[in-house]
Amino acid sequence: MTRTQKQSERGEETTENTRTPERQNGRGAASAVQSVDRAVSVLEILARHGEAGVTEIAEELDVHKSTAFRLLGVLENRGLVAQAKDRGKYYLGAGVLRLAGAAAVRLDISQEGVPVCREVADELGETVNIAVLDDDAAVNIMQARGTASVTAQNWLGRRTPLHATSSGKVLLAHMPPTLREGLLARTLPRFTDRTITGAAMLRAELEAVVEQGYGITIEELELGLAAVAAPVRAHDGKVIAAISVSGPVYRLNPDRLPEVAKRTVAAGAELSRRMGYGF
């Protein structure tokens, strides 16, 4: 068997120059997918063994040591693996803990939020959501519907704009200043005549959110829709989510909004306690 054939069987790159550009591009895409698959396999190997050397990893992947070394180098640069200098072995790095922690937070909030959202939805009769920051949007990860909201739309999994939603305003208000200012510097889309698109006016709104402990939107995302949201904090006090109550403006009217806001803030405090805040 030739070297090229062996390389092909092991999935390694060859240096044939007779391929057409289309074939080369196709192989490049396939090679990229294969590299991702191998990188994930490296993480799984280290998770299984605790630590492993380049030779061991290469053997398990059935690739050349140089290929294993390149994969480890990329993963090490991203903090996903680290090397024990005295033994030359590799082990899972702190970057994996960071990713796992982010996923765990979402799972924990969803689980802990079920009884809180259900209680508020039953008490107020409106839709209750929990949203977390997802890059430049808020994404709803938990939803409970009250008796008055049986025909309400499903917000679960939906990404909503930060500047035009109550949850988004809460998340924006408690965001690191540099990150927040970067988002406010963008052109903010208008959804209704009541959407706040000016940075100065939105800053004032966010200051009020921090001061009063909750955010409100009235027909800023959709006509006829109003919502109130309060922050949810982790054990270290960092705001990691927002819990909101939403419904039609004829039910969430000016007379009722203070009551709903008070209950939403209490729900946020309860969920924060469940997440370890205050202990």
Side-chain angles (χ1 to χ4, degrees):
M1 182 180 293
T2 67
R3 175 179 174 81
T4 299
Q5 289 173 320
K6 290 180 180 179
Q7 286 179 319
S8 178
E9 283 196 357
R10 291 159 70 106
E12 296 181 26
E13 296 181 2
T14 64
T15 57
E16 295 178 24
N17 295 319
T18 58
R19 298 189 186 93
T20 65
E22 291 78 5
R23 290 184 63 190
Q24 289 176 339
N25 291 339
R27 181 172 176 80
S31 178
V33 172
Q34 186 179 58
S35 295
V36 172
D37 182 70
R38 286 174 172 172
V40 173
S41 296
V42 170
L43 297 177
E44 291 176 338
I45 291 169
L46 295 179
R48 189 164 60 248
H49 295 299
E51 62 177 23
V54 177
T55 301
E56 300 168 74
I57 292 172
E59 289 178 352
E60 286 213 34
L61 293 178
D62 192 24
V63 298
H64 194 276
K65 285 177 60 175
S66 62
T67 300
F69 188 77
R70 285 196 299 272
L71 290 169
L72 288 163
V74 172
L75 293 171
E76 187 174 20
N77 287 338
R78 301 303 294 267
L80 297 176
V81 305
Q83 186 178 24
K85 303 302 180 183
D86 56 335
R87 300 187 303 279
K89 300 276 190 177
Y90 287 86
Y91 56 91
L92 293 177
V96 172
L97 296 177
R98 183 182 68 250
L99 296 176
V105 165
R106 289 197 177 195
L107 290 173
D108 288 346
I109 292 177
S110 295
Q111 293 171 354
E112 296 296 339
V114 170
V116 177
C117 290
R118 186 70 268 162
E119 181 179 353
V120 177
D122 289 343
E123 182 178 330
L124 299 180
E126 306 295 352
T127 299
V128 182
N129 282 285
I130 296 174
V132 297
L133 188 66
D134 186 21
D135 192 18
D136 60 350
V139 61
N140 293 290
I141 61 172
M142 170 64 200
Q143 178 175 277
R145 294 182 182 180
T147 54
S149 60
V150 290
T151 60
Q153 62 179 297
N154 184 11
W155 294 90
L156 192 61
R158 179 174 170 181
R159 284 168 53 88
T160 56
L162 297 175
H163 69 291
T165 59
S166 59
S167 292
K169 288 181 182 180
V170 168
L171 296 172
L172 263 178
H174 295 279
M175 191 180 291
T178 303
L179 183 56
R180 180 173 60 247
E181 287 303 312
L183 293 173
L184 294 183
R186 302 179 183 180
T187 299
L188 302 175
R190 181 178 296 280
F191 299 97
T192 74
D193 290 341
R194 304 194 63 164
T195 306
I196 300 175
T197 58
M201 186 178 293
L202 189 54
R203 286 192 193 94
E205 180 88 359
L206 298 179
E207 289 176 5
V209 169
V210 174
E211 184 177 341
Q212 65 194 13
Y214 59 88
I216 293 177
T217 54
I218 301 176
E219 298 188 300
E220 294 177 39
L221 178 64
E222 295 182 7
L223 292 176
L225 180 68
V228 182
V232 177
R233 300 179 185 273
H235 65 91
D236 58 0
K238 180 181 178 182
V239 173
I240 54 175
I243 184 169
S244 67
V245 176
S246 61
V249 291
Y250 67 84
R251 285 204 303 264
L252 296 187
N253 53 51
D255 292 334
R256 193 183 179 211
L257 275 176
E259 169 207 344
V260 174
K262 182 178 180 179
R263 186 64 184 89
T264 305
V265 170
E270 170 61 17
L271 185 50
S272 298
R273 187 191 67 77
R274 287 172 171 266
M275 297 303 294
Y277 180 63
F279 289 94

